[in-house]
């Protein structure tokens, strides 16, 4: 109940961000109920209806194998959610831990943050590409690679925030009352970082979609048989002059989802502790 | 200024060494004998044995690294498996396209990002601001390759105004007119970055507008546009300049995609093709070059920053 | 629009019924109410009151700098040399700002643009109103820096603000304010952010410049001590209203409003025991608190019947001495 009230306060008067939130909920529902809603099997070939434009039978048209684009888009929502959440979890856990521990144990932190600096010397997609060359194309590997890329920025941000909090009175108080390191980090400092982390998570979710789509497009992301929005675009690029709907629908889905997540992230950022507001760079 | 630049360059050395170590280790992380990996599938056992000796692959890892680093410092990045020519030559081939693409992209970013950001800040809270700020965020949410494909569809396929792919060198027939091949790619590459600059210019202008010295400027009786340009925008530029370092990193990432969409013979597409061809020496070389370039750009940004903000002392 | 000039011809500034309000989600809250004050050429008027009493907003309204703040002029007139400033076009107002009328601010540390040399900032102020060559403007800027007693003006003119001390920056601000030979100088807490020794120097400088140029000065401060040393006439403000106004000597010898008394008592004196420091009890009420009657009555020791219901009118105690109180203090025996 309080969660709903808080959401109401954050989104009050922000109709665009509210629309974004609604869209994301719709995507999540599509992902969950894809098998029930999809009119066709997303993997089923039907050579008779190759490259047919949007119609009553095929809302988003069909691709070069005659597969139903609408059904594939619904299953693509699943991939979007999996990639988004997976990358967020990897980035926040790896980056968050690295950042918090670095700020707390300064000597070890110095080493960790240097490593982060070195990783950040590689532009994001380049780092992802290099890592992908070492790994098989799979959903899990894509998630891990994108997660690692954003773990570096997350570590930097969390490092700064933990440093700010470390100097606060309540941390001293906890130390004086004999709390252990783990207890101070996770019971006293972490709860204060939950909302900034949520904001960071929403931006990572958005960026991860774009990175995953780029990897798919370059042929270095998800395995080609997986129906993701990025793969759909990648496969159809040579047919776009004949079948522009193959470009339009998956692209629009990616843009709407990333845009919505950015709007939501923006709205959330305006509602968090002003001390942390400028630490998180969104769009 | 020069002394500061040199000192800053020295502080980059540890990071550079660490990055080079990662690039070096990359080949060793690939399953298989590094010599076989570096020579590709068609290598004969004699070739493998010869390269193993040359790179000291039978020696401890740190010796190998020092040997490799020594070669790199002498400008020897190895030989491409695919092209059978030195990696430096392969990279040099792609340099013209990528550099020109980057320059044209920067022009787009500046002529689009800065004025729109200023307008958004000046009309803060009105529909003008909402449309430009929202539009900027929308553009930042578009996958680069999707925008590229759509622009090809509109301007090349449907209207037939601009070429859809490739880029003949300006040394070839056509000369500077060949730059039209880069119009769509540079716009594609610029769009998401210009969107970031719009939002940044707007935000820093609004920050500066709240500062006391702007009130002083108005108290002098200056016209609003003079206050905006000479006092607000000039100071907002400091924060914008600092962001150009990040913009470069984003640019490199998106150039990989853009050059692939438009089939441009640049370094970005070289990376992707080398990965698909498993041409590891080239991957290694290109990444090393990009990392060094990125650091140099950040250094230049710092120097520009110091010139824009007299409070920053170059010590 | 010109006002029939019935008063002395040297009347420089004349505010009549000035009312300022700030728009909030709960409606428009008045921040300055029915303020009428005037200032003659060569005179120094001090406005004193605690922070939030509306004194700074009044100065911004005169200067024309309310734009960009949520505060708006709701009613009233501000005559400057016979012209109502509120009826001028923005362009006409800008021709006066920084020229016939200029202002210095509280924060010398942040009031100068950090990216320009101080000389260039002064030159900008000079050339905005007097077209002249850069060379001539630079000479004039050096002259101004000498006038405000910056040591080594030729060496300092190319300094950046961060290379100067707070006192020197305030001198630069004053030099900039003098660029157009103003008839009226508004100084909003010009010494608050400075060290005590520097405060005295800056005040002395303002007084001397005023004597030399014959301009009118409006000095705004929360510190009655600062005002007492420098001003010919004093207006005491409390929560958006003038509660007492009189000549400086008159006010100190014969103060009528309990609030003025409280302000005076809160000035620590060098030989005074800290324990005896008596301040005004309570705190300044926030804007959204509605107080009926006299706004000061919740903190007033003399408050009696009617204070919580009727707004006291401005009553004359002498031709130039007015106070707004139901139970005014008796003159000292």
């Amino acid at each position: 109940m309080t969660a709903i009230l808080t959401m109401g306060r954050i989104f009050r008067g922000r109709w665009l961000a509210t629309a974004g939130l609604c869209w994301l909920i719709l995507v999540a529902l599509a992902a969950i109920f894809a098998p029930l809603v999809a009119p066709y099997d997303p993997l089923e070939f039907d050579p008779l209806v190759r490259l047919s434009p949007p119609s009553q039978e095929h809302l988003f048209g069909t691709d070069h194998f005659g597969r139903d684009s609408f059904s594939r888009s619904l299953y693509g929502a699943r991939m979007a959610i999996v990639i988004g959440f997976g990358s967020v979890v990897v980035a926040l856990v790896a980056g968050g831990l690295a950042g918090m521990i670095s700020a707390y144990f300064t000597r070890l932190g110095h080493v960790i943050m240097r490593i982060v600096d070195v990783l950040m010397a590689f532009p994001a997609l380049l780092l992802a590409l290099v890592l992908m060359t070492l790994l098989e194309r799979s959903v899990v590997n894509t998630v891990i690679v994108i997660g690692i890329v954003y773990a570096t920025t997350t570590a930097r941000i969390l490092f700064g925030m933990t440093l700010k909090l470390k100097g606060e009175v309540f941390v001293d108080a906890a130390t004086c009352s004999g709390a252990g390191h783990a207890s101070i980090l996770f019971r006293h400092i972490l709860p204060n970082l939950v909302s900034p982390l949520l904001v960071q998570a929403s931006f990572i979710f958005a960026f991860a979609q774009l990175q995953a789509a780029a990897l798919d497009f370059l042929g270095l992301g998800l395995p080609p048989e997986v129906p993701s929005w990025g793969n759909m675009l990648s496969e159809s690029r040579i047919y776009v002059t004949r079948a522009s709907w193959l470009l339009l629908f998956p692209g629009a889905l990616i843009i709407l989802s990333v845009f919505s997540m950015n709007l939501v992230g923006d709205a959330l950022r305006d509602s968090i502790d002003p001390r942390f507001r400028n630490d998180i760079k969104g769009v | 200024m020069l002394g500061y630049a040199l000192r800053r360059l020295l502080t980059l050395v540890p990071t550079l060494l660490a990055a080079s170590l990662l690039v070096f280790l990359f080949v060793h992380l690939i399953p298989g004998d590094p010599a076989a990996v570096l020579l590709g599938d068609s290598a004969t056992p004699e070739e493998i044995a010869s390269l193993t000796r040359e790179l000291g692959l039978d020696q401890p890892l740190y010796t190998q690294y020092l040997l490799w680093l020594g070669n790199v410092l002498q400008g020897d990045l190895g030989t491409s498996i695919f092209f059978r020519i030195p990696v430096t030559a392969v990279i040099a081939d792609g340099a013209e396209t990528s550099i020109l693409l980057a320059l044209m992209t920067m022009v787009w970013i500046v002529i689009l990002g800065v004025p729109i950001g200023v307008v958004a800040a000046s009309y803060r809270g009105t529909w003008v601001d909402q449309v430009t700020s929202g539009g900027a965020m929308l553009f930042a949410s578009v996958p680069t390759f999707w925008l590229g494909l759509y622009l090809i569809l509109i301007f090349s396929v449907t209207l037939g105004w601009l070429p859809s792919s490739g880029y003949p060198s300006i040394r070839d027939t056509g000369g500077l007119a060949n730059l039209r091949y880069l119009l769509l790619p540079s716009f594609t590459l610029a769009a998401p970055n210009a969107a970031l600059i719009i939002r940044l210019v707007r935000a820093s202008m609004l920050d500066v507008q709240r500062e006391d010295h702007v009130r002083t400027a108005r108290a002098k009786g200056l016209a609003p546009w003079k206050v905006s340009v000479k006092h607000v925008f000039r100071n907002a530029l400091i924060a914008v300049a600092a962001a150009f370092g990040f913009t470069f990193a984003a640019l490199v990432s998106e150039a990989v995609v853009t050059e692939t969409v438009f089939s441009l013979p640049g370094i970005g597409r070289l990376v992707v093709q080398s990965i698909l061809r498993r041409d590891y020496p080239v991957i290694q070389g290109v990444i090393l070059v990009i990392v060094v370039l990125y650091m140099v750009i950040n250094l230049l940004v710092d120097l520009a920053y110091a010139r824009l903000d007299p409070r920053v002392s170059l010590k | 629009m010109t006002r029939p000039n019935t008063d002395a011809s040297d009347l420089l500034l004349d505010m009549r019924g000035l009312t300022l309000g700030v728009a909030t989600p709960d409606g428009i809250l008045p921040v300055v109410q029915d303020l009428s004050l005037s200032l003659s050429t060569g005179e120094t008027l001090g406005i004193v009151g605690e922070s939030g009493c509306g004194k700074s907003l009044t100065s911004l309204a005169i200067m024309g700098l309310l734009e960009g703040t949520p505060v708006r002029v709701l009613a009233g007139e501000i005559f400057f040399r016979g012209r109502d400033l509120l009826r001028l076009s923005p362009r006409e107002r800008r021709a006066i700002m920084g020229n016939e009328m200029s202002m210095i601010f509280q924060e010398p540390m942040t009031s100068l643009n950090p990216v320009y040399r101080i000389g260039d900032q002064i030159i900008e102020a000079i050339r905005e109103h007097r077209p002249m060559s850069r060379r001539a403007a630079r000479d004039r800027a050096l002259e101004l820096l000498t006038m405000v007693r910056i040591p080594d003006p030729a060496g300092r003119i190319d300094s950046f603000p961060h290379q100067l001390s707070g006192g020197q920056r305030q001198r630069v601000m004053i030099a900039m304010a003098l660029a157009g030979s103003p008839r009226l100088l508004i100084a909003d807490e010009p010494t608050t952010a400075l060290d005590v020794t520097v405060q005295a120097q800056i005040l002395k400088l303002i007084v001397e410049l005023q004597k030399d140029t014959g301009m009118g000065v409006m000095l705004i401060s929360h510190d009655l001590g600062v005002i007492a040393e420098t001003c010919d006439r004093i207006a005491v403000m409390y929560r958006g209203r003038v509660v007492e106004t009189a000549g400086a000597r008159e006010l100190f010898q014969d103060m009528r409003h309990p609030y003025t008394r409280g302000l005076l008592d809160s000035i620590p004196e060098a030989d005074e025991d800290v324990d005896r420091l008596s301040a005004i009890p309570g705190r300044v009420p926030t804007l959204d608190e509605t107080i009926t009657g006299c706004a000061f009555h919740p903190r007033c020791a003399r408050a009696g019947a009617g204070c919580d219901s009727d707004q006291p009118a401005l009553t004359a105690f002498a031709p130039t001495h007015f106070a707004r109180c139901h139970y005014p203090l008796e003159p000292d025996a």
Side-chain angles (χ1 to χ4, degrees), chain B residues 212 216 218 220 226 230 235, chain C residues 67 110-111 116 124 129:
Chain B
D212 290 330
T216 308
R218 284 167 55 217
K220 287 179 187 174
K226 272 191 200 164
K230 279 190 70 177
N235 291 52
Chain C
E67 198 187 318
T110 53
S111 289
Y116 294 115
E124 182 183 41
H129 301 286

Side-chain angles (χ1 to χ4, degrees), chain B residues 124 208-227 229-236 238 307-313, chain C residues 60 63-68 94-95 97-99 101-103 105-107 110-116 120-122 124-125 128-129 160 162 173 176 188:
Chain B
R124 183 193 185 183
V208 176
Q209 255 163 29
R210 279 193 287 271
E211 285 173 17
D212 290 330
H213 66 80
V214 175
R215 188 179 55 190
T216 308
R218 284 167 55 217
K220 287 179 187 174
L222 300 184
W225 70 267
K226 272 191 200 164
V227 176
V229 173
K230 279 190 70 177
H231 292 274
V232 181
F233 178 66
R234 172 61 180 75
N235 291 52
I238 298 170
R307 284 207 64 92
L308 284 172
D309 189 349
R311 286 164 296 183
V312 177
S313 63
Chain C
L60 291 178
M63 199 60 198
L65 292 174
L66 285 180
E67 198 187 318
R94 286 203 302 273
M97 286 160 83
N99 187 17
M101 179 197 286
S102 49
M103 183 160 181
F105 302 96
Q106 180 173 355
E107 304 84 4
T110 53
S111 289
L112 290 164
N113 191 330
V115 308
Y116 294 115
D120 293 335
Q121 299 192 46
I122 300 173
E124 182 183 41
E128 182 63 25
H129 301 286
F160 285 102
H162 71 274
M173 284 296 294
M176 214 180 316
D188 183 5

Side-chain angles (χ1 to χ4, degrees), chain B residues 101 104-110 112-113 139 144 147 183-197 247 251 254 258:
Chain B
L101 178 65
M104 285 179 72
T105 306
M106 278 298 173
V107 171
W108 278 119
I109 292 177
V110 172
L112 289 177
F139 261 91
T144 322
L147 181 64
L183 267 182
L184 290 183
S186 58
F187 182 83
T188 307
L189 194 49
N193 293 297
L196 295 184
I197 295 292
T247 306
L251 224 58
E254 282 146 17
T258 309

